[in-house]
Amino acid sequence: MFRPSLRCLLPSFLPAFWSAAWLAALLAAAPAHSSSAPTFAQVKADFRSSETWLLDRSGQPLHRLRTDDSARRGAWVALADVSPALRQALVLSEDKRFYEHSGVDWRAVGAAAWGNLWNEKTRGASTLTMQLAGLLDDDLRQGGSGRSLRQKLGQAVMARRLEGGWRKDEILEAYLNLVPFRGELVGLDALARTLFGKAPHGLNDAEAALAAALVRAPNASAARVAQRACGVLSLMRAGQSAEEKRQGCITLELLAAGALPRRAWPASEGQAPHLARRLIAEAARAAPDGLPPPAVPSTLDGPTQRLALQTLRQHLRELQGRNVQDGAVLVLDNATGEALAWVGSSGSDLSQAAEVDGVTALRQPGSALKPFLYAQAIAQRRITAATLLDDSPARLQTGGGLYIPHNHDRRYHGWVSARVALASSLNIPAVRVLGMVSPEAFHRQLHDLGMRLPETSGYYGLSLALGSAEVTLLQLANAYRALANGGRLCPVRLHRASAAEQAAPCPAALDAGAAFIVGDILSDRNARALTFGMDSVLGTRFWSAAKTGTSKDMRDNWAVGYTPRHTVAVWVGNASGQPMHDVSGASGAAPVWAALMRHLHQLAPSPAPAAPEGLERVSVRFDNPPDGEPPRAEWFLPGTVQALFARDSAQSAQDAPQADAASAPKPRITSPVSGSIIALDPDIPPANQRLRLTAAVPAGAAARALRWQAAGRTIGHGPSAAWLPLPGRHTIRLLDRHGQVLDETHIEVRGAALRAGMQPPSGRP
């Protein structure tokens, strides 16, 4: 073999010789312990995963979300949880004498110097401890052009200090968690879950050899990685035959080709993706460094969340033939307001809009708004639960034109009680009740219940009674929770409430008595039978109050209800707005609602709530056709008790006991309808442009003592009057003899100013 002369050897021999000599001298002088070297505990504590976990109320992991885009790091893996095959492969590949040296492998240094002397390619002298030093100190990390002599010496010094303060198992554990493997993958956990789809303890010999090969060439081609892994596997299976080694190498080629492009570790995984994004983003905003903590607690109950998701997905699969893709579920604890389940979507395999959070998306609630309308009318003593309402075709004049409501089945039932009208979800009686309350007042009531409607009451008009406004499942569920809590509206909590927060008083958004009566109606399966039948899915073996809702063209279907302990709200539909096919309240959202209610009360009883103080329960009868409603016991607010209900209101009033003036039926404005827009024409004489004002006056009320007022000025007297307004917005009030406001309506008058000589007269018309 050719050997160079000594003269030729000197240029290459001297640098290698002096490098080794300097290294030995520095290491001899360097102390074994130094405060500049971090401790194992510090390194482990400073490790930050790229993933953040959402925890349920008991501290169990519920959902994982990637929150760091700079690198992919999993959880810190203890050495005991690392595959023995990988530990063997890494030591054989990177540092065969790892358990023998004290940070620097002098035999490897000598071999490297000798290789440099003869220009031979060698493995290098960098030990696992020296590589770890480079991972811990950016200044010692290898750059694109390799490590400089200064960096090599620094790594050696740091390695000696690490070996002086760390155990060998700690060095190997830290190395496996900090070393970059491929692309953005840092640490063993990210590698195992991304490329192999398994936990680190499950890596077999071939996978371990492939992982060890990636340490040396993290971004090499699959063929090159497999070639190097073949050598590592041969070292691991030293006793195999040549044919067995060849077969192992073929296996590694196939494994590398399939595993290296794989991304088996999704960025989001678990049962609560939408709430995880919400709470983790909040935690990041609250953190001083803008980074979320490794884990974020929540109020969710793990079993309830999983059941809600599973039940929703199973039911939507059954409805796939009816063009239903999406759904959402929310479960609240009535006492604390804590969310026990938050399912924002059915998932990507069922929905084309899985990222949309159905809990916070604005949708039309349909008849699900009716309980709050009836509660308001009962609280204002405009109706009672036994008041007869006309369920017949209606053509109602509104500011926007003629409004013709229909029942969903196009069937009409004549005179029915408010109890039956609400429980059976009849549309026309609800519209008539809104006419008593007024869209403006109901709009304010919904606002008080936490439903911030995007438009004014005039935009919705009478259709507001049928749920034409858009609300979120979160808003609607909490409003039903207010019914369960005696009309008090408390905030929904996504973090466990402290004792002080639980003790804080909540404002009253509804009259407690009216809330109780509406709950009693919604729990009445007999009153519900007209539309839903006696065997409705809404009927439970325990006390529960429930209501369904379906928006126009069957785009949304809702089921919301409560027991004294829990409120459950379910929405199904299509995030795209496409209509469903033949889906009703009983077949759409209600089965999911019923399944969750059964789960929540399988061990806990649900007795009927106690009536608030002051309510009276008396027997009532109805003077209507023979096929009408039978006598029953009914709840009344103080001063509204009535024994006989008939279509003739005068007869009803005669049979009713005397009520105090504050609770007696009051006159109300019937025309103009609130929200009307009036147009003036300057070419028409003023006498022909007067606006007719009319009021409905209960029997026995002093009709002649009524007074009409606008802009603080009297414009008429009695149950009707004629008035010529000026252009602008006006509030018309109806006052009694004492000047107390009985009712009011809001209109807008448009048009050019009247010509000279045609101004409206002052004073009474």
Side-chain angles (χ1 to χ4, degrees), residues 611-625:
E613 185 178 353
L615 287 190
E616 299 182 58
R617 185 173 175 84
V618 300
S619 296
V620 299
R621 60 188 179 89
F622 300 89
D623 184 13
N624 50 1

Side-chain angles (χ1 to χ4, degrees), residues 677-725:
I677 299 176
I678 313 298
L680 293 177
D681 189 334
D683 295 324
I684 299 177
N688 296 336
Q689 297 194 72
R690 296 181 184 275
L691 179 63
R692 188 71 176 174
L693 311 177
T694 60
V697 183
R704 293 182 177 274
L706 298 177
R707 181 162 54 94
W708 299 87
Q709 187 182 83
R713 184 165 66 86
T714 298
I715 58 175
H717 292 81
S720 64
W723 173 54
L724 179 61

Side-chain angles (χ1 to χ4, degrees), residues 397-409:
Q397 290 287 346
T398 69
L402 194 64
Y403 181 57
I404 307 176
H406 299 281
N407 288 332
H408 72 282
D409 56 3

Side-chain angles (χ1 to χ4, degrees), residues 20 25 83 92 227 267 353 366 460 520-521 555 599 627 651 700 713:
S83 162
L92 289 175
Q227 182 182 10
Y460 305 109
D520 186 67
I521 293 173
R555 300 180 187 277
H599 163 75
D627 58 346
Q651 181 65 39
R713 184 165 66 86

